Amino acid sequence: MMKRSQSINLGRMRKISAAKVIKPLAVVAGVSTLTACGNDQQATVYKDLDHCAIDNPGLEEQCQSAYQQALQEAEQSGPKYPRQHLCEEEFGSGRCYQYTMNNGQNVFVPLMAGFLFSQFMDNRYRSAPLYTSYSYHSPFYGYWSSVDGKRYGRAKYGKTKVNKKAFDAKPKVTRTISRGGFGSKVAASSSFRGSSSRGGWGG
């Protein structure tokens, strides 16, 4: 059994030189299916916890909390596979790990490729996990996607705007994807075409 939760050394992070982190690139927002007038929320896409902490001096604890929240949501609500190779076909070699669900079933889930980080008007920081596909045949190749299969802009790090619903809790997923992969499942679902329906791998 393997869990992604980690103990974070905040003192170590504070000493990391900002020069060692690639500066975030602007996100191309033209493909977003989540933005809507009046409901936009400013957010930043970070690669990992260190990336967030270095970009936000003094907010290391907020970054840690947001990162752990995104990891938990990814494990509970993200796509799940019965075999490692099925997961890696979509998300890349070495990009999946074994996870034991509450019912005792062992599955394979993809590593987050990044996460959204945003401060809301109530001064709370919220987050959401992001994936991207490594398969040339996937509609998510080169794009960010949410755990419920909605597509964002191109997979680059930096500031962007998303609909506030991007940070809402997603339904837990307990069923596994046996064939076809994350991309094709979502491409066949109405959510990929901009509907408000759920993603294509069930829950």
Side-chain angles (χ1 to χ4, degrees), residues 41-66:
Q41 175 70 30
Q42 185 72 40
T44 305
V45 180
Y46 289 117
K47 180 180 180 181
D48 53 27
L49 174 55
D50 285 356
H51 190 182
C52 178
I54 292 171
D55 197 42
N56 297 278
L59 295 179
E60 291 90 349
E61 292 184 2
Q62 288 84 346
C63 283
Q64 179 185 0
S65 177

Side-chain angles (χ1 to χ4, degrees), residues 88-124:
E88 292 185 344
E89 284 176 3
E90 182 78 36
F91 297 100
S93 178
R95 299 287 306 168
C96 297
Y97 64 95
Q98 191 175 41
Y99 171 72
T100 302
M101 296 190 293
N102 291 335
N103 62 7
Q105 181 182 5
N106 290 325
V107 296
F108 289 89
V109 298
L111 292 167
M112 291 192 308
F115 70 103
L116 284 167
F117 180 75
S118 183
Q119 181 182 17
F120 277 61
M121 293 183 66
D122 58 8
N123 292 322
R124 287 189 298 171

Side-chain angles (χ1 to χ4, degrees), residues 64-166:
Q64 179 185 0
S65 177
Y67 181 71
Q68 294 296 335
Q69 177 187 334
L71 281 177
Q72 183 178 16
E73 182 174 328
E75 289 179 339
Q76 293 181 349
S77 303
K80 296 173 173 63
Y81 296 80
R83 300 287 183 270
Q84 184 173 358
H85 74 91
L86 294 173
C87 182
E88 292 185 344
E89 284 176 3
E90 182 78 36
F91 297 100
S93 178
R95 299 287 306 168
C96 297
Y97 64 95
Q98 191 175 41
Y99 171 72
T100 302
M101 296 190 293
N102 291 335
N103 62 7
Q105 181 182 5
N106 290 325
V107 296
F108 289 89
V109 298
L111 292 167
M112 291 192 308
F115 70 103
L116 284 167
F117 180 75
S118 183
Q119 181 182 17
F120 277 61
M121 293 183 66
D122 58 8
N123 292 322
R124 287 189 298 171
Y125 288 85
R126 301 180 188 178
S127 63
L130 295 176
Y131 302 115
T132 188
S133 176
Y134 284 73
S135 169
Y136 291 104
H137 305 291
S138 171
F140 289 97
Y141 178 74
Y143 292 92
W144 292 127
S145 67
S146 59
V147 293
D148 58 345
K150 292 182 173 61
R151 191 166 74 165
Y152 291 73
R154 293 190 180 275
K156 297 180 180 180
Y157 302 108
K159 296 187 182 301
T160 187
K161 286 186 178 181
V162 296
N163 190 281
K164 292 178 181 179
K165 292 182 179 180

